[in-house]
Amino acid sequence: AQSVTQLDSHVSVSEGTPVLLRCNYSSSYSPSLFWYVQHPNKGLQLLLKYTSAATLVKGINGFEAEFKKSETSFHLTKPSAHMSDAAEYFCVVPGKLIFGQGTTLQVKP
Amino acid sequence: DTEVTQTPKHLVMGMTNKKSLKCEQHMGHRAMYWYKQKAKKPPELMFVYSYEKLSINESVPSRFSPECPNSSLLNLHLHALQPEDSALYLCASSPHRQAEAFEQYFGPGTRLTVT
């Protein structure tokens, strides 16, 4: 069965420092994988998606993620955090509508 | 227009009330979804409509009744809810049900409180 595991429930960074949000997947084949962001009391917005094309995927707001089959990972990164990045982030297997448990990103001034 | 709208934004209802949540999209999407989201948790899938037909019901209690009157509109009828049903209810749409490569567009949600 397919699943995703977000390795950190909470990540805290200082503004201007790099962000790393970790997602591992479990699947017998290379799945499509998406990252969504949810700001407080808002719906989810797609950040970026991997669909078996380029393994390094660039998304909105300076985020990117690299699909690594050997590590079964799809970690989300950003070189420099901004206060507006504070939100909940979900790693998702879109075809099966499987959501990770979410990672809360806190950005300190 | 890439927007999914949901009304109302907030709803407070008693356990004996009947109310409805509404969701609308004008992107020509043929799949629409209802999710329930508790605080600090991921969305939980409730129902999926594909081409206006119910294709997935994730064993949701009958006090929740979905309806898809046309391809742009999705309703969720609520009756005799329990306090534990209080949550953020999210609607989403995608071009098709087989969403391997299609993103879902989410509405802002309805914050439901059952008293």
Side-chain angles (χ1 to χ4, degrees), chain A residues 26-87:
Chain A
S26 171
S27 175
S28 57
Y29 61 94
S30 294
S32 295
L33 288 165
F34 292 3
W35 275 99
Y36 283 87
V37 61
Q38 185 178 27
H39 288 90
N41 297 310
K42 301 285 188 186
L44 281 72
Q45 180 186 19
L46 183 72
L47 269 181
L48 49 79
K49 58 182 180 180
Y50 168 75
T51 56
S52 75
T55 56
L56 182 61
V57 181
K58 293 189 185 300
I60 62 171
N61 301 333
F63 284 93
E64 64 180 41
E66 186 171 7
F67 180 81
K68 292 186 177 180
K69 186 174 181 179
S70 60
E71 298 176 12
T72 61
S73 69
F74 189 55
H75 299 337
L76 182 70
T77 61
K78 183 174 180 178
S80 176
H82 191 272
M83 295 298 292
S84 61
D85 295 327

Side-chain angles (χ1 to χ4, degrees), chain A residues 29 32 34 36 38 41-44 46 49 51 88 90 94-97 99-101 104, chain B residues 33 35 37 40-43 45 48 88 90 97 99-104 106-108 111:
Chain A
Y29 61 94
S32 295
F34 292 3
Y36 283 87
Q38 185 178 27
N41 297 310
K42 301 285 188 186
L44 281 72
L46 183 72
K49 58 182 180 180
T51 56
E88 192 77 14
F90 295 100
K96 302 295 184 185
L97 301 175
F99 285 73
Q101 287 301 302
T104 302
Chain B
Y33 311 76
Y35 289 88
Q37 186 179 28
K40 301 296 184 186
K41 296 291 186 183
L45 184 65
V48 181
L88 182 68
L90 293 166
R97 167 61 187 96
E100 277 294 334
F102 295 127
E103 70 175 279
Q104 290 182 301
F106 284 83
R111 175 72 62 189

Side-chain angles (χ1 to χ4, degrees), chain B residues 8-28:
Chain B
K9 288 192 183 340
H10 301 275
L11 178 62
V12 179
M13 60 185 291
M15 290 190 285
T16 59
N17 291 159
K18 285 185 182 181
K19 297 286 185 183
S20 297
L21 309 185
K22 179 180 171 181
C23 172
E24 200 160 5
Q25 57 88 14
H26 295 287
M27 294 176 279

Side-chain angles (χ1 to χ4, degrees), chain B residues 11 27 29 46 57 62 65 74 78 105:
Chain B
L11 178 62
M27 294 176 279
H29 289 173
M46 299 175 72
N57 176 341
S62 60
S65 175
L74 186 65
L78 314 173
Y105 291 78

